[in-house]
Structure formats: structure tokens, C-alpha cells
Amino acid sequence: MNAVLPAPDLDAYPPIEWRQLRWLLDQGVPITVLMEFLPLRVARGIVGPNCRLDEDPMGKQFIVFEELEDVLYWRPRSGELASWNGRAFALGEAAIDDPATCAFGGHLNLWPDPLSWLRAKCDGCVILDWSRAWFRLHDVPRIAVHELLLFQYRHHMKPPPGPETFVLRDASSRSAAS
């Protein structure tokens, strides 16, 4: 059984630098969205083979996003994504189960990367673990998929094959038939 790592102390991460904030603004992220995340923090580390961040003071800088059961790390210029404990399915995961997402004809938006998601005012989510997509999304009434994700979405939104099934016959039914 995998032990869940205790969440890191987010207050120990330094706040984002002005040049990084300016870059996000220049990329079209609304200031109102960035203000919702204040204090926006950065962490340094290396993405391990398990897509988890190994903290390293000499590592690359990642923007930190807190999810319900995990912490996500994003390196804007390279697009690298990592998580703290591997429990998060998506960035913006709360939108999946929020009744307001699909109310009044609305839909869950799936974005290809955190920058697109931030530009869209965090309306929807960014899938991190496509292997769990069918299980997490098959009950969502309406989904809008960014064109860059359409192939991946269609590939992963098929129910997994069930177990091999056999038919059992009762021994008494065989003797009655003969």
C-alpha cells in the first residue's frame, strides 16, 4: 500500500517574482485570475520518473497550485507538470463534481495546459492522468474538449474492458435436459 505523503508547507514556498507574474499577464492571463491565487508561490525541484516533484533548491522553478488532495507544480515555459503525491487527476479538479459546471446548459471545459486554463479564467480543468479519464468523467453530462485534446479524449473515454466472463450451469438443469 502506498503511503500518502503529508502535504508540503505551502507557506514555506517563496512568492512568485514580479517578472514571472508579468510573463503570465503578457500571455493573456487576467489579473483577476492571478489575484485569486495570491499569494501565488513557486517551488524548486526536479520532476521524477513518477511525475512527482522532488524538491531541490537548485532545481527548476515551478508555480504551485493547491488541489483538494494534492499539490500541483507547473513550469510555464516548458509546460512540465508534476504533483506532490500523485493523487490529483486534474488541475481544477473541483469543477468536475461542481453542479454549477453543467447547470443551465453549461459544460466542463478540458484545456490542454495550465496556461490555457488560466486564460479561460480557470473554467474547467487540465487532465494530468488520462488513465483515469473515463472513471472520473463518464458521468459528466456535457464536456467541451479543446481541439488539441480531441484524439486523446476519444482514446481514453472508452470504458475499460471488463473481466472475461463464463456461464455457469446448475448440475440439476443438465440432468433435467437429458
Side-chain angles (χ1 to χ4, degrees):
M1 177 180 228
N2 292 339
V4 176
L5 297 172
D9 179 9
L10 299 181
D11 292 332
Y13 293 140
I16 193 169
E17 295 175 8
W18 169 246
R19 66 179 175 77
Q20 295 164 312
L21 191 62
R22 182 81 238 160
W23 185 87
L24 289 168
L25 291 169
D26 290 344
Q27 299 305 307
V29 178
I31 187 72
T32 54
V33 170
L34 294 174
M35 292 189 64
E36 289 178 28
F37 289 106
L38 290 179
L40 196 54
R41 304 220 176 247
V42 292
R44 286 192 170 273
I46 300 166
V47 179
N50 57 1
C51 293
R52 296 190 185 165
L53 187 78
D54 295 326
E55 290 182 332
D56 180 347
M58 301 307 292
K60 299 174 185 173
Q61 279 194 331
F62 291 81
I63 295 177
V64 179
F65 295 99
E66 186 175 14
E67 285 291 323
L68 186 61
E69 296 183 354
D70 207 344
V71 177
L72 301 178
Y73 303 90
W74 171 52
R75 186 161 167 75
R77 293 183 193 255
S78 70
E80 277 182 286
L81 286 166
S83 73
W84 178 255
N85 62 27
R87 295 187 75 175
F89 162 70
L91 176 60
E93 193 168 340
I96 297 168
D97 298 318
D98 185 351
T101 299
C102 293
F104 305 109
H107 46 268
L108 174 67
N109 297 318
L110 299 183
W111 299 103
D113 54 63
L115 185 58
S116 300
W117 177 72
L118 288 166
R119 286 179 183 145
K121 301 178 183 174
C122 306
D123 182 15
C125 60
V126 178
I127 306 299
L128 302 170
D129 183 357
W130 281 97
S131 69
R132 294 191 273 169
W134 189 84
F135 295 104
R136 292 288 287 133
L137 301 176
H138 76 275
D139 286 332
V140 177
R142 286 174 300 285
I143 296 177
V145 181
H146 189 280
E147 62 186 339
L148 293 176
L149 297 175
L150 196 53
F151 176 78
Q152 195 167 20
Y153 175 82
R154 286 182 175 155
H155 175 74
H156 288 283
M157 285 307 290
K158 297 175 183 160
E164 187 176 1
T165 305
F166 301 90
V167 176
L168 297 175
R169 287 203 163 147
D170 196 8
S172 62
S173 64
R174 259 189 269 146
S175 60
S178 35

